[in-house]
Amino acid sequence: MKFVRYIMKNAALASVPKHIEHFSKFSPSPLSMKQFLDFGSINACEKTSFVFLRQELPVRLSNIMKEINLLPNKLLTTPSVQTVQSWYIQSLMEILEFLDKNPDDQVLGEFVDALVTIRNRHNDVVPTMAQGIIEYKEAFPQDQVTNQNIQYFLDRFYMSRISIRMLINQHTLVFDGTLNPVHPNTIGSIDPHCEVGDVVQDAFHSAKMLCDQYYLRSPDLILQEMCRTKKKNLPISIVYVPSHLYHMLFELFKNAMRATIETHDHSSTLPPVEVMVALGDEDLSIKMSDKGGGVPFRRIDNLFSYMYSTAPAPRIGERARPPLAGFGYGLPISRLYAQYFQGDLQLYSMEGHGTDAVIYLKALSTDSVERLPVYNKTALKNYKVSLEVDDWCIPSREPLDLSIHKVRK
């Protein structure tokens, strides 16, 4: 029996490239926040969700798996990246087992169990891929073109991961038959009335606790809300995923607190971190302002780079590292969470003063549509970008030697 299972497993593995090639020819189907709510409403049909996911998940997995193979061979051969690849192959194989199954109660239950297994398997994808980048950087010299390709890939790879987890979470949370006791009004992972101020407070207090543990003090929070279209007494709320918003705010609070304390290290008082939440007809904007000394303009882009970190690179499982630092992935992934539903995260810094971080989200659930990577010729071209000669003069850092220009008498 073991031999038969071994043969069947090897046969399934051999067919994986064929399946990837097939499903990568289809573009992912982006859903709006409203469609997610409809899928998870009281009248939601588990069979409909099952039929959609058993087709859509292989499409999303296959599209990004095609792009993994476009990475430099030196990066692909690192142990950590190979581990991530094996997880994706295993997950694809498990979903494909449901392609031809009739969605009766037993199959639907098995499907939920399979999705939970896949979600748990991929829990450590971000730190494992980050470890692969570290292994690559330690073993091989860096060049600008390769770093640019890796940045392009990781933005798309992590965005794909966010979208896949969103699909899995919605199905498993809605159809596993249990109610979330902490957030009983949520539909899956979406809160139809997500009170932004509450999430700001939660993220602030979590970051404050870490800050107090490490620095023994922390700045205060000043929170304001502005909305011209609602009654002043009502808190601002939108249809959103609270965990996504919390992730973004927690990262920004950590950065703001760390910068504030290190800039005012010898001061007895700390300037507060100020947050303004504003709701308009189209946008929900959250501005976080600190007086943490700011960042030079030329370094702003580095803050969103996966190849750059101001803190020492940790190892997976390392516990004795500062709680306010990590792989340096906090800001780029927070920006992806904002962009996932057509928003954005931008930094405006004044060196010598402080930084404003602004999160832009869509105010309407119909406008909040998934932003998904698709494997096509345009994507392929981005992996073949070569370093071209700049068509602007590059200023020299050395002082100009005017003596060579002296006119002979």
Side-chain angles (χ1 to χ4, degrees), residues 21-50:
E21 192 66 35
H22 169 72
F23 283 103
S24 65
K25 291 178 181 177
F26 300 93
S27 294
S29 301
L31 300 176
S32 69
M33 194 77 78
K34 186 178 185 304
Q35 287 174 310
F36 273 115
L37 288 178
D38 292 342
F39 260 111
S41 64
I42 298 174
N43 297 321
C45 176
E46 186 173 359
K47 291 182 180 180
T48 302
S49 182
F50 166 81

Side-chain angles (χ1 to χ4, degrees), residues 167-191:
L167 291 180
I168 290 176
N169 284 337
Q170 283 304 106
H171 187 89
T172 55
L173 290 173
V174 170
F175 298 115
D176 70 350
T178 59
L179 189 68
N180 187 341
V182 181
H183 302 286
N185 297 321
T186 58
I187 298 177
S189 58
I190 299 173
D191 188 345

Side-chain angles (χ1 to χ4, degrees), residues 292-309:
V295 180
F297 177 72
R298 65 178 178 83
R299 284 179 50 195
I300 290 293
D301 288 342
N302 289 340
L303 300 181
F304 289 102
S305 171
Y306 300 101
M307 309 296 285
Y308 172 87
S309 174

Side-chain angles (χ1 to χ4, degrees), residues 122-283:
H122 290 246
N123 279 342
D124 290 329
V125 160
V126 174
T128 306
M129 182 61 81
Q131 186 62 44
I133 300 297
I134 293 172
E135 293 164 3
Y136 167 75
K137 288 168 66 176
E138 290 176 346
F140 303 104
Q142 304 299 294
D143 69 86
Q144 187 177 340
V145 173
T146 302
N147 287 357
Q148 185 177 330
N149 289 345
I150 293 173
Q151 178 75 23
Y152 176 78
F153 165 76
L154 288 178
D155 269 342
R156 296 165 66 80
F157 177 72
Y158 291 134
M159 184 69 88
S160 172
R161 178 180 182 271
I162 291 170
S163 77
I164 290 169
R165 290 183 79 83
M166 183 70 187
L167 291 180
I168 290 176
N169 284 337
Q170 283 304 106
H171 187 89
T172 55
L173 290 173
V174 170
F175 298 115
D176 70 350
T178 59
L179 189 68
N180 187 341
V182 181
H183 302 286
N185 297 321
T186 58
I187 298 177
S189 58
I190 299 173
D191 188 345
H193 305 286
C194 176
E195 294 189 5
V196 178
D198 287 349
V199 183
V200 171
Q201 292 282 2
D202 288 345
F204 169 76
H205 287 296
S206 296
K208 176 181 171 63
M209 183 178 65
L210 283 180
C211 200
D212 287 336
Q213 288 176 354
Y214 190 68
Y215 292 106
L216 303 181
R217 62 177 186 159
S218 59
D220 292 330
L221 168 67
I222 296 177
L223 173 61
Q224 292 179 287
E225 294 189 359
M226 182 177 293
C227 179
R228 294 180 180 177
T229 59
K230 286 190 175 184
K231 295 180 180 179
K232 292 183 178 179
N233 296 332
L234 293 177
I236 291 177
S237 65
I238 59 169
V239 180
Y240 207 70
V241 184
S243 60
H244 289 189
L245 182 56
Y246 175 90
H247 182 105
M248 293 181 261
L249 290 167
F250 179 60
E251 182 62 32
L252 293 179
F253 272 125
K254 286 194 301 179
N255 292 342
M257 289 181 179
R258 180 183 171 195
T260 299
I261 290 175
E262 292 181 357
T263 299
H264 300 271
D265 188 31
H266 301 293
S267 175
S268 59
T269 59
L270 295 173
V273 176
E274 299 180 22
V275 175
M276 167 66 77
V277 180
L279 179 62
D281 293 332
E282 294 186 19
D283 297 333

